[in-house]
Amino acid sequence: MGLLTKLKSSAFGSKKSPERRVNRNAAADDPEGDKTSAAAKNEDATEPSLRPLQIGSYDFDDGYSYPSLFEEADDMVKLSTLIYTLIELREVARSGKLDGHPKSLQILDLPLAMDNALSIIATEAELLKEILSDGTHEQALSALQALTGPQLDDGAIGSSDGVIGGLLDIWNCCPGTSPEPVDANAADSDYTVSTIIAVGDEKCNDELVYVVGINPTSKRITVAFRGSTTKTDFLTDAKIDMVSVPDPERFASSKTASSGDNSGSNVCIHRGFYEYLFGSEKGQSKYEEIMVHIQKLFDANPKYRDEYKLYVTGHSLGGALATLFGFYASASNILPQPVTVVSVASPRVGNLDFAALFTEHESQGKIRHLRIANHKDPVTLAPAMSSKRMLTLGSMMFSPLGYLALKLSGNEAGAEESYHHTGMKMKLRNEVQDGSQRCELSYSGAPFLSKTSSSVNSDDDTTGKKNSMLSLTTSDVPLVSYHYGRAYAERMALVKEELDGFSLNQLYKTKTGTE
């Protein structure tokens, strides 16, 4: 089953709009921003007064053949789903449960041809299903079901069936066959098949997990982050207080990201996500570790730097890490621009300054971000604010003396500790009703371009409806099941025809008025 058709390049011309200086305070009307009480809105909170934004022309037309909007989205949804299954199978192999399956043990070999990895997953799908059906692996089981489709429940898995067959077609492989073995010593210079280069899962229960791969057909190097599956992952998600850190430009110039250095231009980021990616108490941070793999690939062959692009993706926690990684990588002088981030089911990552600078990077052609969110996926609606901000608002409303104590001690948190989304949002619905569309597209950065912008759709999907539980239908209620990989794969399949003739680059031009 082939899901990738001819590559389509951008249709817009090379017209450049003049660079605009925009004050980030223009985002006060951001409908995806802080939905706090009237008391909070009347709070005397001062927005950080950093430099005005240097808004560019959103011109990504650099000769690279970008796929259609659907192709980019669908490929990354599948990759962000695949990593769950790949990591689980590698754990099974390490546990000795594949000792009687010598060919399947190749899942631990690196570099590993993608065709081989997918064939091994198809072969061991029934074993994986049995292991993951213990009630504690819902996310991984959903990912496996998304990859294999109904064949898993029917007990008839084949490498050419379901999404696995689609993945094989996407990476230009023939189902049921294996490409020439990947030479671990010579492969860096010229990969001829889609290949998994590195897997960061040695401590998959205690640290973030990632995969780095190269696709010579689509000419891209991809980093995929795994979403939340372990206790450590969930504890990371729960650290919703913010940490003030150097922005990507300062980080790139200094080569260090120290939360203790608050001089110059800083942004506030979800502490858990930041520490997971940039924490370096035990030596090299995961960001630095991944960048070593990427730089090695781009340095190995001149054509990679000239012809290939970096893509970053992930689901849930993985989507947040992808957003953060892509943002900082976009300021690196060792990588070709733009960096493309396709986050799936991602929570919010940073504050208003984070979102403003992210928008600036997009406008200057440094980064593209497609943020895919299922309608009423609860994870994509959070967090709204930091824990410190919650405490401040709670004290204001219910404990005036408590609020006074916070203020006098310097521990109150203003609107600068509210979270904001970034990127081009693709909201997917399972059902269409009341004039809604199955796929709704909007730009989170629009408020930074105009104080009167009204084109951005709010993440509060009940905005504009009657404020009554009676007005809510079943599809309006956030459900965890909307968050799983299988739900995303199913909804993506429903919008193929709608999105296949349009590109992300065109969408940026349309939504920002820079056509």
Side-chain angles (χ1 to χ4, degrees), residues 301-366:
N301 192 322
K303 77 175 183 180
Y304 293 159
R305 189 171 296 280
D306 295 336
E307 302 175 9
Y308 283 50
K309 294 294 186 184
L310 175 64
Y311 277 67
V312 193
T313 191
H315 170 271
S316 191
L317 165 64
L321 295 171
T323 302
L324 188 54
F325 182 92
F327 184 37
Y328 277 82
S330 70
S332 171
N333 58 8
I334 66 172
L335 301 178
Q337 295 177 338
V339 173
T340 296
V341 175
V342 180
S343 63
V344 184
S346 174
R348 296 183 179 96
V349 176
N351 73 341
L352 187 68
D353 289 326
F354 176 89
L357 284 174
F358 199 104
T359 299
E360 181 179 83
H361 279 215
E362 288 173 301
S363 75
Q364 294 175 355
K366 296 179 180 179

Side-chain angles (χ1 to χ4, degrees), residues 243-248 265-269 327-328 351 353-354 357:
V243 56
S244 178
V245 297
D247 67 29
S265 180
N266 276 31
V267 292
C268 290
I269 297 172
F327 184 37
Y328 277 82
N351 73 341
D353 289 326
F354 176 89
L357 284 174

Side-chain angles (χ1 to χ4, degrees), residues 107-335:
I107 200 71
L108 296 175
D109 295 340
L110 293 173
L112 176 66
M114 181 64 76
D115 179 42
N116 290 342
L118 294 173
S119 295
I120 293 170
I121 290 173
T123 299
E124 303 297 344
E126 287 296 335
L127 174 61
L128 272 177
K129 177 187 176 183
E130 180 181 345
I131 293 172
L132 298 178
S133 297
D134 61 357
T136 64
H137 294 83
E138 291 88 350
Q139 192 75 270
L141 180 60
S142 174
L144 178 63
Q145 292 169 333
L147 288 173
T148 57
Q151 291 84 4
L152 180 62
D153 298 326
D154 296 340
I157 300 294
S159 62
S160 60
D161 295 326
V163 176
I164 287 183
L167 286 168
L168 289 169
D169 285 343
I170 283 173
W171 285 299
N172 202 31
C173 298
C174 299
T177 66
S178 297
E180 296 181 4
V182 178
D183 187 339
N185 297 315
D188 282 347
S189 61
D190 190 14
Y191 288 97
T192 58
V193 297
S194 293
T195 305
I196 298 172
I197 307 301
V199 181
D201 67 342
E202 291 183 1
K203 298 179 179 179
C204 61
N205 291 318
D206 302 310
E207 299 176 345
L208 69 79
V209 172
Y210 67 86
V211 171
V212 180
I214 187 169
N215 184 334
T217 303
S218 299
K219 295 186 177 181
R220 64 188 176 214
I221 292 170
T222 302
V223 178
F225 291 95
R226 186 186 68 176
S228 300
T229 60
T230 68
K231 178 181 179 181
T232 306
D233 292 336
F234 290 116
L235 289 174
T236 294
D237 296 332
K239 294 179 181 179
I240 64 172
D241 54 314
M242 289 186 175
V243 56
S244 178
V245 297
D247 67 29
E249 282 77 14
R250 280 187 59 214
F251 174 78
S253 62
S254 67
K255 303 299 181 183
T256 57
S258 171
S259 60
D261 180 6
N262 293 322
S263 62
S265 180
N266 276 31
V267 292
C268 290
I269 297 172
H270 184 289
R271 180 180 292 275
F273 303 154
Y274 180 82
E275 291 180 347
Y276 227 23
L277 186 60
F278 288 100
S280 55
E281 294 180 0
K282 300 178 182 178
Q284 190 179 49
S285 72
K286 289 296 181 180
Y287 177 87
E288 294 168 330
E289 181 181 314
I290 297 167
M291 287 294 283
V292 168
H293 291 302
I294 297 172
Q295 185 171 0
K296 183 180 179 182
L297 281 171
F298 278 117
D299 290 345
N301 192 322
K303 77 175 183 180
Y304 293 159
R305 189 171 296 280
D306 295 336
E307 302 175 9
Y308 283 50
K309 294 294 186 184
L310 175 64
Y311 277 67
V312 193
T313 191
H315 170 271
S316 191
L317 165 64
L321 295 171
T323 302
L324 188 54
F325 182 92
F327 184 37
Y328 277 82
S330 70
S332 171
N333 58 8
I334 66 172
L335 301 178

Side-chain angles (χ1 to χ4, degrees), residues 374 376-382 478-483:
N374 274 351
K376 287 303 178 181
D377 175 348
V379 173
T380 66
L381 306 177
L479 293 175
V480 174
S481 60
Y482 297 160
H483 179 66

Side-chain angles (χ1 to χ4, degrees), residues 81 84 87 92 115 172 196 238 328 334 374 391 401 443 450:
T81 300
Y84 287 101
I87 300 305
V92 170
D115 179 42
N172 202 31
I196 298 172
Y328 277 82
I334 66 172
N374 274 351
L391 178 60
L401 289 178
Y443 183 39
S450 171

Side-chain angles (χ1 to χ4, degrees), residues 23-25 46-52 264-266 353 416:
N23 192 311
R24 65 192 61 205
N25 288 334
T46 303
E47 292 289 351
S49 56
L50 302 181
R51 62 174 175 79
S265 180
N266 276 31
D353 289 326
E416 73 279 359

